[in-house]
Amino acid sequence: MKKAELDTPALVVDLDRLERNIERMKALIAGTGAALRPHVKTHKSPHVARLQIAAGARGVCCAKLAEAQAMADGGIKDLFVTTPVAGEAKLRRAVELARRARLSVVADDEAAIRALSQAAQAGGVGMAVVVEVNVGQDRCGVPPGPQAARLAQLVEKSPGLRFAGLQGYHGRLQGIPAFEPRRAEVRAALDRLMLSAEPLRRHGIECGVLTGGGTGSVALDLELGGLTELQPGSYVYMDSSYGKLAWDARGTPIPFEQSLTILSSVVSRPVKERAVLDVGWKSASADSGPPAVLGLAGAVFEFAGDEHGTLRGIDAMNLRPGDRVELVPSHCDTTVNLYDRIVACRGDEIVDLWPVAARGRSQ
Amino acid sequence: MKKAELDTPALVVDLDRLERNIERMKALIAGTGAALRPHVKTHKSPHVARLQIAAGARGVCCAKLAEAQAMADGGIKDLFVTTPVAGEAKLRRAVELARRARLSVVADDEAAIRALSQAAQAGGVGMAVVVEVNVGQDRCGVPPGPQAARLAQLVEKSPGLRFAGLQGYHGRLQGIPAFEPRRAEVRAALDRLMLSAEPLRRHGIECGVLTGGGTGSVALDLELGGLTELQPGSYVYMDSSYGKLAWDARGTPIPFEQSLTILSSVVSRPVKERAVLDVGWKSASADSGPPAVLGLAGAVFEFAGDEHGTLRGIDAMNLRPGDRVELVPSHCDTTVNLYDRIVACRGDEIVDLWPVAARGRSQ
């Protein structure tokens, strides 16, 4: 079957581009001493995770326990959940998961560490705990400084738990398009993480991993040093936001290719000034703005409700109902989360249909 | 099982409130001569559609053919697809659907009507066609005036098709919070629809339904007259955007109750100024802004990524990891579309788990 025969909206991945992106990340990290643990919150697919592991990734990062469960179901054995675990229901999930995979979780709170230890003991399992440091995103994490070492000591003496390192992740800086401002922010974030790593060493605690980073910072993380494990996710699929990133001071474009697109159809062309597509907020995420339009110079997409978008700047184009238009998501993670499956293509040929196994697994 | 035992994020509906909303809409429309055909794009659940039909709805509106298929699978027999059908794959779906349900579809284009007729004939099925008029939203639809009558005549002489009326829907005006500006826009939209209905009568074409309206306009649609079929959807669940609507010139609040909430957990309380919740863009839609916070006066939710939100304005509150916070979606349709199931509760008691059967069915 050909891509052109698909019903729309359809989420499509170009396999050649995906494979080149995975190879490029492997080459980037090779020989640096850092390890790659890609974040699956982008693709939510054990299939892609297996491709990443085959290319040398040591395991995966998962945003939530339910996402990690979907990865375990897909045969992935080394899982790091990058969000703190809190509450009875989540503790039960964590214990269940630790029975069938090598599980690390994040913590930033004494009571949460005690609850984790109690659950691990009661369940007869072991878990690794990474202490999160707030390196500037002002989300989770203890402040930079001695507090992380105190939590690390608590983890070390808590039955069922093993201290495994520090996480310092700063999502917002990943998307700063200009190189120098991004570089300055990455350096500041790394400095904050080191402020927490130093006291560990002074207390004689084995530091374990220093984990963080993303697609927008990976080259800088490698250049500036410090992180021992890198968490990029978006590089496999890319999106129009990451597509705007300058890779270096000379403004070189980011070396990862856009492998993910939304195939849409024109459903109405009521006037020459606009066409209406069958893609709206339910098939393209809006958190990072509207998707971009591929291959139609001057055409601009505007959301027009749950299930529609309007295309403008097309006055001279002969677009008729039934014609196809390909869109580039503005944010790959949240767009992928709208689809139950993704169509894998080589050129115009459909070669596979991958379930987005962890779609909606936000628990 | 109690609501408090649920893992989070969980999408919850309060059944008492849902049932009262359905009764209120029934009472509002009773005796006006207009019929109710609620839009299922809000709930995407055959279960809720059956409650609406039991309360007198004559059928349902569906945004897409795949959504209508999910309703047919759930036993709903009278389906109106409110988006134009274009392209081979969608024509095949329409024919398949017309075999097992009473199907009406929308059209605004000559070539699309010819393609529909050809597909209906080839498939040996009949379909009703509603011609869409652009009443101000500038999305699909022919301009107000004689053009709708020309398409109606084409439908009438097309084998396999039956002309069934005109649609004039204007989504943006539904959400205008102030009463008088909304009233003015509703009147203007109704006037535009009547500009297309008049020529039909002059050509001796039976007008069929005049369909449109929504939760924000329903009282005005009834007061101003003209529509014979009303399409409100959001009234069953409501959201914080519709919650701001003035119902009349005196500023009476909208009479539908918020029955839908997102149950979330605190996963981190790193400083007194903020807590971090396990709800982000993957579990609450962002197209209409952040969700509101229920029952914590002064607390404000801010999106903090795919899987997190921060809660501010809580300095004096003793919120700890594991504590529950209930959120009100800013847009019910797109938030429901993120969940595979919805938890039906009476008070704190869980009484059912409904699949969101048409989740992701955007084709």
Side-chain angles (χ1 to χ4, degrees):
Chain A
M1 192 174 165
K2 301 283 184 191
K3 202 164 108 178
E5 296 166 64
L6 285 170
D7 197 358
T8 60
L11 193 66
V12 175
V13 61
D14 181 303
L15 280 182
D16 294 328
R17 288 168 173 249
L18 172 71
E19 288 164 5
R20 285 196 295 267
N21 287 343
I22 289 172
E23 280 307 308
R24 271 191 198 106
M25 186 59 85
K26 180 185 179 178
L28 203 59
I29 291 182
T32 64
L36 178 63
R37 183 185 287 276
H39 214 304
V40 305
K41 73 185 173 118
T42 299
H43 55 70
K44 291 178 168 277
S45 154
H47 192 100
V48 179
R50 285 191 296 267
L51 296 178
Q52 292 172 311
I53 286 169
R58 74 156 54 151
V60 297
C61 294
C62 304
K64 296 287 183 75
L65 287 160
E67 191 169 275
Q69 284 176 310
M71 291 299 135
D73 293 344
I76 313 297
K77 293 293 182 199
D78 191 331
L79 306 165
F80 171 39
V81 176
T82 59
T83 302
V85 171
E88 285 306 314
K90 290 188 200 304
L91 288 167
R92 279 195 301 274
R93 271 185 200 270
V95 167
E96 188 275 332
L97 194 53
R99 291 214 172 92
R100 57 195 185 109
R102 185 185 153 85
L103 178 67
S104 326
V105 298
V106 147
D108 67 358
D109 181 275
E110 279 190 30
I113 290 168
R114 292 204 177 88
L116 265 177
S117 169
Q118 205 164 28
Q121 273 184 283
V125 298
M127 284 179 222
V129 174
V130 171
V131 171
E132 176 150 28
V133 179
N134 176 15
V135 295
Q137 182 161 23
D138 292 343
R139 199 166 67 181
C140 305
V142 298
Q147 211 171 316
R150 285 199 290 274
L151 290 187
Q153 286 175 309
L154 176 62
V155 171
E156 292 248 295
K157 66 183 190 199
S158 297
L161 304 185
R162 181 176 62 79
F163 175 67
L166 300 180
Q167 171 171 264
Y169 178 72
H170 191 335
R172 279 198 309 275
L173 65 76
Q174 299 295 330
I176 302 173
F179 180 72
E180 288 299 348
R182 192 169 73 252
R183 189 176 194 280
E185 292 277 353
V186 172
R187 179 186 285 277
L190 286 167
D191 287 349
R192 292 184 195 110
L193 189 62
M194 294 315 145
L195 276 180
S196 294
E198 264 314 305
L200 285 178
R201 297 187 183 110
R202 278 204 304 276
H203 284 86
I205 303 169
E206 168 68 52
C207 192
V209 296
L210 292 171
T211 181
T215 296
S217 70
V218 60
L220 290 164
D221 292 325
L222 291 170
E223 177 208 322
L224 298 170
L227 295 182
T228 65
E229 209 176 83
L230 299 169
Q231 307 187 3
S234 302
Y235 71 100
V236 288
Y237 286 165
M238 291 291 290
D239 54 37
S240 65
S241 305
Y242 270 127
K244 291 175 192 138
L245 241 68
W247 192 243
D248 55 28
R250 294 190 310 277
T252 307
I254 188 165
F256 302 105
E257 299 173 62
Q258 187 63 46
S259 69
L260 186 78
T261 54
I262 302 166
L263 192 65
S264 73
S265 293
V266 176
V267 293
S268 174
R269 179 75 189 269
V271 288
K272 77 175 189 333
E273 293 79 24
R274 76 173 178 275
V276 182
L277 301 181
D278 57 355
V279 164
W281 293 315
K282 287 186 181 171
S283 41
S285 63
D287 56 79
S288 304
V293 182
L294 201 67
L296 297 178
V300 174
F301 178 97
E302 292 171 10
F303 281 108
D306 293 349
E307 301 276 16
H308 298 89
T310 51
L311 213 53
R312 295 182 185 271
I314 55 155
D315 303 35
M317 296 178 203
N318 183 31
L319 283 171
R320 298 300 312 157
D323 288 352
R324 301 311 178 85
V325 175
E326 215 157 349
L327 303 171
V328 175
S330 58
H331 186 180
C332 49
D333 300 19
T334 46
T335 293
V336 169
N337 190 50
L338 299 171
Y339 290 82
D340 291 322
R341 53 196 69 79
I342 182 163
V343 185
C345 293
R346 288 215 192 266
D348 292 328
E349 202 73 42
I350 297 171
V351 297
D352 209 348
L353 207 59
W354 298 338
V356 183
R359 196 221 74 72
R361 304 286 184 92
S362 286
Q363 291 187 333
Chain B
M1 192 175 165
K2 301 282 185 193
K3 201 162 111 178
E5 296 166 64
L6 285 169
D7 196 359
T8 60
L11 193 65
V12 175
V13 60
D14 181 304
L15 280 182
D16 295 329
R17 288 167 172 250
L18 172 71
E19 289 164 5
R20 285 196 296 265
N21 287 343
I22 289 172
E23 281 306 309
R24 271 191 199 108
M25 185 59 83
K26 179 184 179 177
L28 203 59
I29 292 182
T32 64
L36 177 64
R37 182 184 288 276
H39 214 303
V40 305
K41 73 186 174 119
T42 299
H43 55 70
K44 290 177 168 278
S45 155
H47 192 100
V48 179
R50 286 191 295 268
L51 296 178
Q52 292 172 309
I53 287 170
R58 74 154 54 150
V60 297
C61 294
C62 305
K64 296 287 183 75
L65 286 159
E67 190 169 276
Q69 285 176 309
M71 291 300 135
D73 293 345
I76 313 297
K77 294 292 182 201
D78 190 333
L79 306 165
F80 171 40
V81 176
T82 60
T83 302
V85 171
E88 285 306 314
K90 290 190 199 303
L91 288 168
R92 279 195 301 273
R93 272 186 200 270
V95 167
E96 189 275 330
L97 194 53
R99 291 214 171 92
R100 57 196 184 109
R102 186 184 153 87
L103 177 67
S104 327
V105 298
V106 148
D108 67 358
D109 181 275
E110 278 189 30
I113 290 169
R114 292 205 177 88
L116 265 176
S117 169
Q118 205 164 28
Q121 272 182 285
V125 298
M127 285 180 220
V129 174
V130 171
V131 171
E132 176 150 29
V133 178
N134 176 15
V135 295
Q137 183 161 24
D138 292 342
R139 199 166 67 181
C140 304
V142 298
Q147 211 170 316
R150 285 198 291 275
L151 291 186
Q153 285 174 309
L154 175 62
V155 171
E156 292 248 296
K157 67 181 189 202
S158 297
L161 305 185
R162 181 175 62 79
F163 175 68
L166 300 180
Q167 171 171 264
Y169 177 72
H170 191 336
R172 279 199 309 275
L173 65 75
Q174 298 296 330
I176 302 173
F179 180 73
E180 289 299 348
R182 192 169 74 253
R183 188 176 195 280
E185 293 277 353
V186 171
R187 178 186 285 278
L190 287 167
D191 287 349
R192 290 184 197 110
L193 189 61
M194 294 315 145
L195 277 180
S196 294
E198 264 315 305
L200 284 178
R201 295 185 185 113
R202 278 204 304 276
H203 284 86
I205 303 169
E206 168 67 54
C207 191
V209 296
L210 292 171
T211 180
T215 297
S217 71
V218 60
L220 290 164
D221 292 325
L222 291 170
E223 177 208 322
L224 299 170
L227 294 181
T228 64
E229 208 174 84
L230 300 169
Q231 306 187 4
S234 301
Y235 72 99
V236 288
Y237 286 165
M238 291 292 289
D239 54 36
S240 65
S241 306
Y242 271 126
K244 291 176 192 139
L245 241 68
W247 193 243
D248 55 29
R250 296 189 310 276
T252 307
I254 189 166
F256 302 105
E257 299 173 61
Q258 187 62 46
S259 69
L260 185 77
T261 54
I262 302 166
L263 192 65
S264 73
S265 293
V266 175
V267 293
S268 175
R269 180 75 189 268
V271 288
K272 77 175 189 332
E273 293 80 24
R274 76 172 178 277
V276 182
L277 302 181
D278 57 355
V279 165
W281 293 315
K282 287 185 181 172
S283 41
S285 62
D287 55 81
S288 305
V293 182
L294 201 67
L296 297 178
V300 174
F301 178 97
E302 292 172 9
F303 281 108
D306 294 349
E307 300 276 17
H308 298 89
T310 51
L311 213 53
R312 296 183 184 271
I314 55 155
D315 303 34
M317 297 178 201
N318 183 30
L319 283 171
R320 298 300 311 157
D323 288 351
R324 301 310 178 88
V325 175
E326 216 158 347
L327 304 172
V328 176
S330 58
H331 186 181
C332 49
D333 300 20
T334 47
T335 293
V336 168
N337 190 49
L338 298 171
Y339 290 82
D340 291 322
R341 54 196 70 80
I342 182 163
V343 185
C345 293
R346 287 214 191 266
D348 292 328
E349 202 74 41
I350 297 170
V351 297
D352 210 347
L353 206 60
W354 298 338
V356 183
R359 196 221 72 71
R361 304 286 184 92
S362 287
Q363 291 186 334

